[in-house]
Amino acid sequence: LIGINLFDNIGEVEVKSLTDLDTGCLHDYQLTTQDMKNISEADILVVNGGGMEAFMEDINTNYPDLTVVDASKGIELYQDNPHVWLDPVLYMQQIENVRDGIIAYLESNDFKGLDIAKIKEAIIENAENYIAQVKEIDIRLEELKGTYGAAGKQAKAVIFHDSFAYIAKRIGIPVAYSIPLDHDTSLSAEEIANIIDDVNKEEIGYLFTEEQYSDSVARRIEAETTARVYIIDSAVTGDGSKESYIDAMERNIQVLKSALLDME
């Protein structure tokens, strides 16, 4: 999405995604033959970084001269969690990292027939516009943080994928437990029962799960506790439009507003 926004209305540049829009997180993604073909034809590969793309070893081996722009360069990960884009402040830093990496590449190479100065100017303007949009999201999260901080009862949360930890930290919601529920993880009946006991004992109010994963375990816990399930969007899927991140975070803000109101 950063690439799509930075190169908006720049006809000299083609942006391709290595993954399908329904792939979700890239931890276990395997490169396809078409991916390798796209990489072989690319000038720049933009990655999230932070260990998100496990396939980078293969790319570095097969394409040692490919310019790779790491969007998470210089960003301190929260608990070794690479889902930094869910904190708008860090996402703005990622946008700047990609902008600077691409401009550095343009300045260090000779592109005959292209007006590099004009392309750079357009990239900088697009970055400013996108950062301004993300800043508005951050302002609204800051308002939610104030609402949560002023609440009489500050409930803890259980999260079912560690990406939400960034939003929780931004707002100030304490995360009591992070339960990994992906396609490689299953919980036994005993484990679920233990979680239910802990949720009741600690008076945990929120169960935050994500739309790309099943909410069946969260619903079972909800049925036997006073905690409520809320489904958030981790902004890893969408229609591929340049508004996808903003739209996802808008939905998350509405979910969080609802969650905070429920605790009043």
Side-chain angles (χ1 to χ4, degrees):
L1 292 178
I2 293 177
I4 291 171
N5 278 275
L6 293 192
F7 290 120
D8 188 34
N9 294 321
I10 302 178
E12 298 91 340
V13 181
E14 182 179 9
V15 180
K16 291 184 178 180
S17 174
L18 286 185
T19 63
D20 294 328
L21 297 175
D22 59 355
T23 297
C25 286
L26 301 177
H27 298 293
D28 303 313
Y29 183 77
Q30 299 295 316
L31 294 173
T32 66
T33 302
Q34 184 60 48
D35 290 335
M36 299 303 283
K37 181 177 184 298
N38 288 337
I39 292 169
S40 70
E41 298 172 348
D43 293 298
I44 303 173
L45 175 63
V46 177
V47 299
N48 179 77
M52 173 68 74
E53 295 90 355
F55 51 74
M56 282 307 299
E57 184 176 350
D58 291 337
I59 291 178
N60 292 332
T61 299
N62 290 289
Y63 306 99
D65 297 326
L66 177 65
T67 295
V68 178
V69 175
D70 184 347
S72 296
K73 181 180 179 181
I75 296 176
E76 184 176 353
L77 303 182
Y78 178 49
Q79 297 178 345
D80 295 324
N81 177 348
H83 301 82
V84 295
W85 62 86
L86 285 175
D87 182 336
V89 172
L90 300 182
Y91 188 55
M92 286 186 279
Q93 189 173 341
Q94 286 191 305
I95 297 169
E96 292 172 348
N97 282 341
V98 176
R99 176 201 63 198
D100 295 345
I102 292 171
I103 288 176
Y105 176 80
L106 292 174
E107 291 177 338
S108 62
N109 289 273
D110 183 19
F111 296 92
K112 295 181 179 179
L114 292 181
D115 188 342
I116 298 302
K118 181 180 178 182
I119 294 174
K120 284 170 50 182
E121 183 180 351
I123 290 172
I124 292 170
E125 182 178 354
N126 286 341
E128 289 176 352
N129 292 337
Y130 194 32
I131 288 172
Q133 289 182 282
V134 178
K135 181 63 177 178
E136 288 299 316
I137 293 293
D138 187 60
I139 290 171
R140 294 174 65 188
L141 285 178
E142 183 66 24
E143 293 171 352
L144 287 178
K145 181 178 181 179
T147 301
Y148 180 76
K153 182 179 180 182
Q154 296 185 357
K156 299 178 182 178
V158 168
I159 62 177
F160 292 84
H161 188 244
D162 58 2
S163 63
F164 182 74
Y166 278 100
I167 296 182
K169 182 182 180 183
R170 182 70 185 82
I171 297 176
I173 298 176
V175 176
Y177 302 101
S178 178
I179 302 169
L181 288 182
D182 53 33
H183 64 281
D184 292 324
T185 305
S186 60
L187 296 176
S188 67
E190 181 180 1
E191 288 173 321
I192 294 174
N194 290 336
I195 294 170
I196 289 171
D197 287 342
D198 290 339
V199 169
N200 283 322
K201 288 177 183 177
E202 298 193 31
E203 298 184 336
I204 291 171
Y206 305 117
L207 303 171
F208 287 108
T209 187
E210 298 180 23
E211 61 180 18
Q212 77 232 49
Y213 300 115
S214 170
D215 64 353
S216 60
V217 173
R219 294 297 180 188
R220 288 175 63 183
I221 296 170
E222 180 185 53
E224 299 189 45
T225 68
T226 58
R228 296 189 183 184
V229 172
Y230 301 93
I231 299 175
I232 63 120
D233 188 335
S234 54
V236 295
T237 58
D239 60 7
S241 69
K242 64 179 183 177
E243 295 85 10
S244 294
Y245 175 83
I246 301 300
D247 290 345
M249 294 303 288
E250 289 279 3
R251 289 191 292 271
N252 288 337
I253 287 170
Q254 296 307 313
V255 170
L256 290 165
K257 281 183 177 180
S258 179
L260 294 176
L261 285 173
D262 288 343
M263 290 298 114
E264 291 182 352

